[in-house]
């Protein structure tokens, strides 16, 4: 039944590809897998296979990949993605020897893939539970690990009617979870090869801050540190802009940098026209910096700058919390700034913990945002204290990568 459903999904992706660009990329990417493997996989090499569903999971797995590169250079790295939003951005990632899509999880494709790669170790990131892959790896006695995982009582593993899914988890050699609650949930279904190691994203954002490069255009727009005040809205969706846009229209002295989660032409045109005090696209300002003059809002319309752009703000807003789910608040907090985010954050441990520290500011409405913005932008002591709390929270969580690595590769 499971394999049949996966096969039907593959057919659905092909059909959807006629109208949907993401489905088309996934369908075309599936066709390219075997050619890429034939061109890149060396028969006598030793491979570690790392799988990340999308871009967020890749950033979570990246610290492990880079530590393997540094500490165990005898291995080559195969990196796979399921989602086009991850693959299309990182298909040329230099930290891996081969990057491709994950073949759909049907028995024939699974056997062909593992026969071709013959990995010595497989590492899945956070939420990857592919039944046929797990079973085949287990049958071949290839160690497979799940890192930075989080489990919740409402997942199908822990419900009576679907408890048989829990057997899949027994095929992992070891599961590395973020918190003690996850370990206890797994223990309740007799999955005990579990270690509480934390979240590798804290290591990743710390590395990003240490290695970040200046962004001169944003630096010019933001102005003199300590004099101008700036909010950075990262991974912003239309639902988020409805929360904060009107406040900025009433406060032209506060600048705003927006990195929308998606930026097709229609989305960008709508975003630029939304603000009464003037907005400009970064791509346009790069051609003529004079376009920045007199503008309150700068819209970043390219990939790759968000994690460094937070360095130029006094307050951050991380999107997704009024929609499908919160994006990465750690990327902002590492710069010692308070972070706004919406109510759909219950799946993210850091959202609750950062709020308790005082550095995270969960909001449920436009009125919540406006009330707290009035405080943070006009009370320097409150803003700076909350910012330090956010940064201290991140620094206290660093170290998951080393813990996981030392268990997978004991000295």
């Amino acid at each position: 039944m499971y394999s049949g459903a996966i096969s039907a999904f593959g057919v659905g992706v092909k059909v959807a590809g006629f109208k949907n660009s993401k489905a088309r990329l996934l369908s075309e990417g599936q066709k390219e897998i075997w050619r890429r493997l034939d061109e890149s996989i060396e028969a006598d090499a030793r491979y570690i296979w790392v799988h990340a569903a999308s871009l967020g999971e890749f950033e979570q797995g990246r610290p492990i990949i880079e530590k393997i590169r540094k500490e165990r250079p005898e291995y080559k790295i195969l990196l796979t993605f399921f989602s086009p939003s991850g693959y299309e951005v990182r298909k040329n990632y230099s930290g891996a020897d081969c990057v491709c899509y994950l073949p759909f999880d049907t028995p024939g494709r699974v056997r062909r893939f593992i026969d071709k790669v013959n990995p010595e170790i497989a590492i899945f990131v956070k939420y990857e539970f592919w039944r046929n892959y797990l079973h085949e790896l287990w049958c071949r006695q290839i160690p497979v690990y799940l890192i930075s995982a989080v489990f919740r009582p409402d997942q199908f593993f822990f419900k009576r009617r679907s408890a048989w899914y829990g057997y899949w988890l027994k095929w992992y050699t070891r599961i590395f979870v973020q918190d003690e609650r996850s370990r206890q949930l797994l223990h309740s279904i007799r999955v005990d090869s579990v270690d509480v190691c934390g979240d590798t994203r804290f290591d990743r954002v710390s590395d990003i801050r240490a290695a970040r490069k200046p962004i001169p255009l944003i630096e010019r727009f933001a102005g003199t540190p300590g004099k101008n005040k700036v909010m950075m809205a990262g991974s912003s969706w239309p639902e988020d802009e409805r929360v904060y846009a009107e406040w900025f229209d009433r406060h032209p002295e506060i600048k705003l940098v927006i990195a929308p989660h998606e930026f097709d032409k229609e989305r960008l045109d709508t975003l630029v026209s939304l603000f009464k005090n003037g907005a400009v696209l970064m791509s346009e300002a790069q051609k003529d910096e004079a376009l920045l003059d007199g503008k309150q809002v700068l819209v970043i319309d390219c990939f790759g700058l968000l994690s460094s752009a937070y360095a130029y703000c006094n307050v951050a807003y991380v999107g997704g919390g009024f929609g499908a789910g919160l994006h990465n608040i750690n990327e902002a907090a590492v710069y010692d700034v308070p972070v706004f985010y919406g109510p759909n954050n219950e799946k993210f441990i850091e959202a609750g913990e950062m709020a308790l520290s005082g550095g995270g500011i969960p909001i449920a409405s436009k009125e919540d945002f406006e009330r707290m913005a009035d405080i943070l932008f006009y009370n320097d002591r409150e803003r700076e204290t909350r910012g330090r709390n956010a940064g201290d929270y991140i620094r206290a969580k660093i170290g998951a990568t080393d813990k996981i690595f030392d268990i997978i590769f004991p000295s």
Side-chain angles (χ1 to χ4, degrees):
M1 289 176 62
Y2 171 86
S3 298
I6 296 293
S7 296
F9 173 78
V11 174
V13 168
K14 287 183 181 180
V15 174
F18 289 109
K19 293 185 178 181
N20 183 282
S21 60
K22 284 188 177 180
R24 183 164 56 253
L25 286 170
L26 178 55
S27 180
E28 292 172 353
Q30 287 286 317
K31 297 175 186 177
E32 290 292 306
I33 291 171
W34 309 111
R35 180 186 63 81
R36 291 185 71 89
L37 292 176
D38 286 340
E39 292 175 351
S40 302
I41 297 298
E42 300 175 16
D44 297 329
R46 302 172 67 189
Y47 281 91
I48 293 178
W49 167 32
V50 180
H51 174 66
S54 191
L55 192 58
E57 288 78 15
F58 164 75
E59 290 297 328
Q60 212 156 14
R62 185 170 178 169
I64 289 289
I65 294 173
E66 294 180 352
K67 191 167 180 66
I68 293 170
R69 274 289 204 209
K70 180 180 178 181
E71 303 289 342
R72 300 302 297 265
E74 68 271 25
Y75 287 107
K76 290 184 176 293
I77 303 292
L78 167 67
L79 173 64
T80 60
F81 289 96
F82 184 78
S83 167
S85 61
Y87 175 78
E88 294 300 323
V89 177
R90 293 300 182 186
K91 60 186 175 183
N92 297 315
Y93 171 56
S94 61
D97 299 281
C98 178
V99 183
C100 67
Y101 280 98
L102 178 74
F104 290 144
D105 188 25
T106 56
R109 291 186 180 95
V110 168
R111 288 191 293 270
R112 182 181 177 186
F113 178 81
I114 296 178
D115 285 343
K116 181 67 177 177
V117 178
N118 191 27
E120 291 192 17
I121 295 171
I123 299 173
F124 293 177
V125 183
K126 197 171 184 178
Y127 290 134
E128 291 303 277
F129 311 112
W130 296 107
R131 188 270 175 201
N132 291 322
Y133 279 106
L134 287 173
H135 186 253
E136 189 68 20
L137 290 165
W138 179 78
C139 287
R140 298 190 189 204
Q141 297 184 339
I142 297 171
V144 55
Y145 301 93
L146 181 65
I147 68 169
S148 292
V150 178
F151 291 91
R152 303 180 309 278
D154 61 347
Q155 289 175 301
F156 48 72
F157 304 114
F158 311 108
K159 294 182 178 180
R160 182 173 297 178
R161 291 184 178 179
S162 55
W164 57 274
Y165 282 106
Y167 287 105
W168 299 8
L169 302 179
K170 297 178 185 292
W171 295 329
Y172 285 106
T173 304
R174 203 147 200 91
I175 297 174
F176 302 102
V177 297
Q178 293 186 26
D179 64 342
E180 178 62 23
R181 184 181 76 160
S182 294
R183 190 196 67 78
Q184 292 177 0
L185 281 169
L186 292 172
H187 177 71
S188 73
I189 58 171
R190 299 181 181 180
V191 176
D192 292 313
S193 295
V194 180
D195 293 281
V196 180
C197 290
D199 188 347
T200 52
R201 284 183 302 169
F202 293 100
D203 302 320
R204 176 63 187 148
V205 297
S206 179
D207 291 343
I208 289 172
R209 175 170 179 168
R212 79 169 189 88
K213 296 180 180 179
I215 309 174
L217 194 73
I218 298 180
E219 189 171 348
R220 179 176 180 232
F221 177 77
T224 306
K227 181 178 179 181
N228 292 338
K229 293 188 175 66
V230 182
M231 187 178 92
M232 176 76 212
S235 300
S236 184
W237 293 81
E239 295 89 345
D240 299 300
E241 286 123 37
R242 286 193 282 271
V243 170
Y244 62 73
E246 290 184 14
W247 188 90
F248 282 91
D249 286 341
R250 298 196 302 271
H251 295 83
E253 72 280 9
I254 309 296
K255 292 192 173 185
L256 173 63
V257 180
I258 305 175
H261 184 68
E262 297 177 338
F263 42 84
D264 56 82
K265 186 179 185 306
E266 181 180 356
R267 170 86 169 104
L268 292 174
D269 289 345
T270 301
L271 194 52
V272 168
S273 66
L274 184 62
F275 296 92
K276 297 178 181 178
N277 301 312
V280 62
L281 298 178
M282 188 168 184
S283 59
E284 295 175 350
Q286 286 171 331
K287 299 174 186 175
D288 182 4
E289 288 194 11
L291 292 173
L292 293 174
D293 297 339
K295 301 296 195 302
Q296 183 190 20
V297 181
L298 174 66
V299 178
I300 299 175
D301 55 340
C302 63
F303 288 113
L305 297 183
L306 175 58
S307 57
S308 294
Y310 284 119
Y312 298 99
C313 72
N314 310 98
V315 173
Y317 180 108
V318 175
F322 284 91
L326 185 63
H327 292 286
N328 191 350
I329 63 175
N330 299 337
E331 281 187 327
V334 74
Y335 290 103
D336 296 280
V337 295
V339 186
F340 283 107
Y341 45 89
N344 188 5
N345 60 62
E346 65 279 356
K347 295 181 180 179
F348 302 89
I349 295 169
E350 65 272 18
E353 291 182 343
M354 200 181 297
L356 289 174
S357 79
I361 307 168
I363 55 174
S365 65
K366 179 174 69 173
E367 290 73 23
D368 285 350
F369 172 81
E370 293 179 347
R371 176 176 56 82
M372 287 304 302
D374 287 339
I375 295 171
L376 293 178
F377 283 108
Y378 299 103
N379 184 327
D380 292 348
R381 173 178 283 186
E382 179 78 8
R383 183 181 66 254
E384 291 166 4
T385 298
R386 285 180 175 269
R388 278 196 306 273
N389 290 342
D392 288 344
Y393 168 75
I394 298 295
R395 286 182 282 275
K397 292 285 186 174
I398 292 171
T401 300
D402 290 342
K403 293 176 184 176
I404 293 168
F405 182 89
D406 289 345
I407 293 173
I408 296 177
F409 301 98
S411 56

